[in-house]
Amino acid sequence: MILMLLYFKVADRFNIIDKPNQRSSHTEITLRGGGIIFWFSGLLYFAQHIQNNYFFFIGITLVSLVSFWDDIKNLSNKIRITIHFLSITLIFYDLDLFTLVPVWGIAIAYFFAVGLINAYNFMDGINGITGLYTLVVMGSLLYVNTKIQLFTDNSFIKYAMVASLVFLFFNYRKKAKCFAGDVGSIAIAFWIIYLVLKLILITNSVIWLLFLAIYGVDAICTIAHRLYLKQNIFQAHRLHLYQILSNECKIEHRLVSLFYAISQLIASIIIIFLYQKVQDVILFAIVILPLLLVYTLKFYLLNKSSLSNNG
């Protein structure tokens, strides 16, 4: 909490702010980069476990540094992607992925890791969504670690959850005190990648990717929609389902964020309950197909909004 208050003074002093534009889901100037609390949380954990977490900490420091700089002054995509790949390589080495997984599996892992980092960043657009969703994902991983399969130190997960709670104290408001910024969404995405990959390797099951099902469906389907519209997928937009609900339907941001978190919580409960009781492919279908159906609601809402504006 103290670290956040100190950061507010620094952000205010150096004018680290988020100015709304025509594609933003907010309308007021707000301090940016509050998600740096996730890096500070990683630092506190690392200081107590320096002997076996240095690759993870170096990686999260690199992505946080380049993301924080990007929050202050836009960096080229080449620099950001290069640092992301380098940081991901560090945790792959730490997890011994290069010896445990064939080349094609490593290529898929890179694709998943880079995709998740960008998806988490794309989805960070309204008050509370990053903090609440992260709490659900980390809480699900903590349950698995405690009740199903020990794969990491419980404290390693809890530090991320505490950081989320501190961030939510300032962000989950009608008028947020700060936004996560790239430094927050990308740092916590990096943390989640590390944990999910570690769990996948230990259990030899990719079913844990479904702990990110809500974000995954929204992000992937929105990219497909934008490609269909021949839009530049690297430019800001307002076509995610959560953006339609917030902007076109005028649903309060915190309610939309809560809806996303609860939806992922329900999905996570289903995953944990059915784990090893049904085949992985069937479990993927049970979770993903209903979410795809819910996502199609977006097109009805867009059409309704368009008809209303024309009328």
Side-chain angles (χ1 to χ4, degrees), residues 207 274 278-288:
I207 208 67
L274 293 180
V278 301
Q279 293 181 352
D280 286 2
V281 66
I282 295 176
L283 187 45
F284 265 94
I286 290 172
V287 174
I288 297 298

Side-chain angles (χ1 to χ4, degrees), residues 92 97-98 100-112 204 206:
F92 281 6
L97 204 72
F98 296 110
L100 295 173
V101 179
V103 174
W104 62 265
I106 293 172
I108 292 174
Y110 270 110
F111 180 80
F112 155 72
N204 197 32
V206 296

Side-chain angles (χ1 to χ4, degrees), residues 90-101:
L90 287 173
I91 59 172
F92 281 6
Y93 181 79
D94 183 64
L95 294 171
D96 208 20
L97 204 72
F98 296 110
T99 57
L100 295 173
V101 179

Side-chain angles (χ1 to χ4, degrees), residues 241-256:
L241 176 58
Y242 79 84
Q243 292 172 316
I244 303 301
L245 294 172
S246 301
N247 301 320
E248 271 62 48
C249 298
K250 307 301 179 185
I251 300 176
E252 215 276 329
H253 288 195
R254 291 172 296 175
L255 288 177
V256 176

Side-chain angles (χ1 to χ4, degrees), residues 29-31 127 170-179:
I29 293 177
T30 308
L31 292 179
N127 299 355
F170 297 101
N171 179 256
Y172 194 58
R173 308 179 182 206
K174 188 171 184 179
K175 185 182 183 303
K177 294 289 185 181
C178 67
F179 295 141

